Amino acid sequence: MKYLLALDQGTTSSRALVVDHDGKVVAVAQKEFTQIFPQPGWVEHDPKEIWASQIGVAADALSRAGASAKDVAAIGITNQRETAVVWDRKTGEPIHNAIVWQDRRTAPFCDKLRAAGHAKVIQEKSGLVIDAYFSGTKVNWLLDNVPGAREKQIAANWHSAPSTPG
């Protein structure tokens, strides 16, 4: 019998479900991971802990279902969407903790972008309003504030928008 393995990487936990051909949930596993609050309004996750917890619950759910990876016909994945992680392409390691979707550290940068008149062009190009919720300013913050991040980015031939409005 082939199963669907559903992976849910949420804000506070990782979950895995094994679903059979009839849509019945055969097994579930869930594990919470650490919430990091470096200062008020800032929320981070350890990307390695997220990865380990997601792999762990996938293996646990399969085991509970009496299944193995060869019994999985497909994998469905849902995630936090606007949480941002920047990886070092050479090492495969995260350069910093993930900045979580509800983190507000980039709100002042968003204010600068709006004040500089960039709201219209950003909305036209992305379909989004300027807000610290979205991952673009989080990636920019990581590249501007983590020592060596821009150098690793340039070495990886990955380019982003300028870090300052104008």
Side-chain angles (χ1 to χ4, degrees):
M1 171 153 214
K2 295 292 182 183
Y3 297 103
L4 168 68
L5 177 62
L7 303 176
D8 174 18
Q9 203 294 292
T11 304
T12 60
S13 69
S14 296
R15 181 184 326 215
L17 294 88
V18 177
V19 181
D20 71 13
H21 185 267
D22 295 323
K24 178 183 171 198
V25 176
V26 178
V28 177
Q30 181 174 355
K31 180 173 175 48
E32 291 186 1
F33 50 82
T34 308
Q35 306 298 299
I36 303 165
F37 304 99
Q39 58 183 288
W42 292 26
V43 187
E44 298 179 356
H45 293 153
D46 177 344
K48 290 182 179 182
E49 183 182 6
I50 291 173
W51 176 248
S53 69
Q54 194 66 74
I55 293 297
V57 295
D60 189 18
L62 286 170
S63 176
R64 290 177 189 206
S68 70
K70 68 181 177 210
D71 298 314
V72 176
I75 299 174
I77 301 172
T78 182
N79 64 17
Q80 298 181 42
R81 290 177 292 282
E82 296 300 329
T83 293
V85 178
V86 174
W87 304 89
D88 182 319
R89 178 177 250 165
K90 289 183 180 177
T91 67
E93 296 293 319
I95 67 161
H96 190 270
N97 283 336
I99 300 179
V100 181
W101 61 268
Q102 76 263 44
D103 185 285
R104 300 303 295 170
R105 76 183 69 189
T106 67
F109 180 63
C110 291
D111 293 341
K112 288 179 184 178
L113 288 170
R114 277 190 292 279
H118 297 296
K120 184 178 179 186
V121 72
I122 288 173
Q123 187 163 20
E124 287 171 355
K125 289 184 176 194
S126 70
L128 304 172
V129 297
I130 296 173
D131 191 277
Y133 167 78
F134 298 113
S135 58
T137 59
K138 292 176 177 73
V139 170
N140 187 76
W141 186 93
L142 288 164
L143 294 174
D144 281 352
N145 291 280
V146 175
R150 285 231 178 246
E151 292 75 16
K152 290 176 184 176
Q153 173 221 10
I154 291 167
N157 283 330
W158 187 81
H159 302 284
S160 70
S163 62
T164 56

